[in-house]
Amino acid sequence: MNSIYAITPPNVKLEDLIKKIKYLLDLGIDTFQYRSKDEEESVKKNAAILLEVIKNQKGKLIINDFPEIALEIGADGFHLGEEDYLNKKNQNFLRKHSTLINENYITGLSCKWNLELLKNPPEELIEWNYLAVGSFFESKTKQDISLPPHEDSIKKALRISNRPIYAIGGINSENIMKLKMIGYERFAISRGLFSQEKNRIENILKINNEKN
């Protein structure tokens, strides 16, 4: 996974999503998380279409919330929140396929600002390849966001895990430099990539590629 990780925003027409993903692939972004609140069958159908588009340009697709869809369509991995991980249906699925998942799939866990979870993520069933922390800024993508309780949490989150940490939540061309100056090197971005003008998207990549 590269340092920029694109997350699809909700309520975007599939054809518009495909156009934007192709554009981002051309810019060098190679990892996408498909996030949708549609019914499971709709998520599976759309995810399969997006997977073909992304694989044609040697990218990776990660499915949010639905590990079974990720395995069924041959995606590269899945991403869960703590509540999704603890969901009984997901627990049974992960337990049944734990060896296959640990050996072949990218797995990510959202920790919000739970630093204890960030330090000791649950790994009884699967191993997490990366963790996400945030939200750092106000976000229009998710309504139930939790902003950092205090400034120290932003810095501490970088020090308490030996796994790759992705900053998430409201990141755009205007604020990404602030996080880079603190020490963050990986960013999961939704509307900052999918709902911005091309010059702002390209500015995100330019800033990301600059050395601190």
Side-chain angles (χ1 to χ4, degrees):
M1 293 173 64
N2 286 346
S3 55
I4 295 288
Y5 173 20
I7 301 176
T8 65
N11 304 320
V12 178
K13 292 181 180 179
L14 184 61
E15 54 266 34
D16 294 335
L17 206 54
I18 290 172
K19 289 178 183 177
K20 201 56 174 279
I21 286 174
K22 286 181 176 179
Y23 169 68
L24 294 174
L25 284 162
D26 288 339
L27 289 180
I29 295 174
D30 74 344
T31 305
F32 297 81
Q33 181 190 134
Y34 180 48
R35 178 189 285 167
S36 173
K37 297 305 178 184
D38 292 340
E39 295 295 326
E40 187 169 341
E41 281 303 311
S42 178
V43 172
K44 181 167 67 174
K45 178 182 176 181
N46 291 342
I49 293 170
L50 294 178
L51 179 64
E52 184 176 357
V53 171
I54 292 168
K55 286 299 182 184
N56 281 341
Q57 291 186 246
K58 299 184 177 6
K60 297 180 178 67
L61 179 64
I62 292 169
I63 308 297
N64 185 62
D65 286 351
F66 295 103
E68 66 273 23
I69 291 179
L71 270 65
E72 184 174 346
I73 70 171
D76 296 278
F78 56 86
H79 183 98
L80 299 174
E82 183 182 18
E83 291 182 1
D84 301 310
Y85 171 76
L86 295 174
N87 175 280
K88 185 176 181 180
K89 178 183 176 183
N90 283 340
Q91 287 269 301
N92 290 337
F93 182 84
L94 297 175
R95 186 175 293 107
K96 181 178 179 180
H97 300 282
S98 60
T99 300
L100 177 67
I101 291 169
N102 288 330
E103 292 179 354
N104 297 281
Y105 289 86
I106 299 170
T107 56
L109 177 70
S110 287
C111 298
K112 297 185 177 179
W113 284 106
N114 184 339
L115 298 188
E116 182 57 36
L117 180 62
L118 193 66
K119 183 178 180 180
N120 296 300
E123 293 192 306
E124 300 87 358
L125 301 178
I126 59 173
E127 301 169 1
W128 303 105
N129 298 119
Y130 72 90
L131 305 174
V133 63
S135 180
F136 282 83
F137 308 101
E138 295 287 347
S139 172
K140 294 181 180 180
T141 303
K142 299 190 74 173
Q143 301 301 316
D144 58 337
I145 64 169
S146 57
L147 295 175
H150 44 73
E151 197 73 19
D152 288 347
S153 298
I154 294 177
K155 297 178 181 179
K156 188 176 181 181
L158 279 174
R159 303 194 301 264
I160 61 177
S161 177
N162 59 4
R163 294 169 181 78
I165 301 294
Y166 278 83
I168 190 170
I171 300 169
N172 55 40
S173 60
E174 283 76 40
N175 57 36
I176 188 173
M177 178 57 78
K178 177 182 178 181
L179 299 185
K180 280 183 64 71
M181 292 178 68
I182 294 171
Y184 284 87
E185 298 178 343
R186 299 177 178 89
F187 308 96
I189 305 175
S190 183
R191 291 188 179 274
L193 294 175
F194 284 92
S195 301
Q196 296 291 324
E197 298 88 348
K198 290 184 178 181
N199 64 312
R200 292 191 177 188
I201 296 170
E202 291 169 1
N203 194 44
I204 288 176
L205 300 183
K206 180 182 176 181
I207 293 172
N208 179 63
N209 291 330
E210 292 175 355
K211 294 183 179 180
N212 292 335

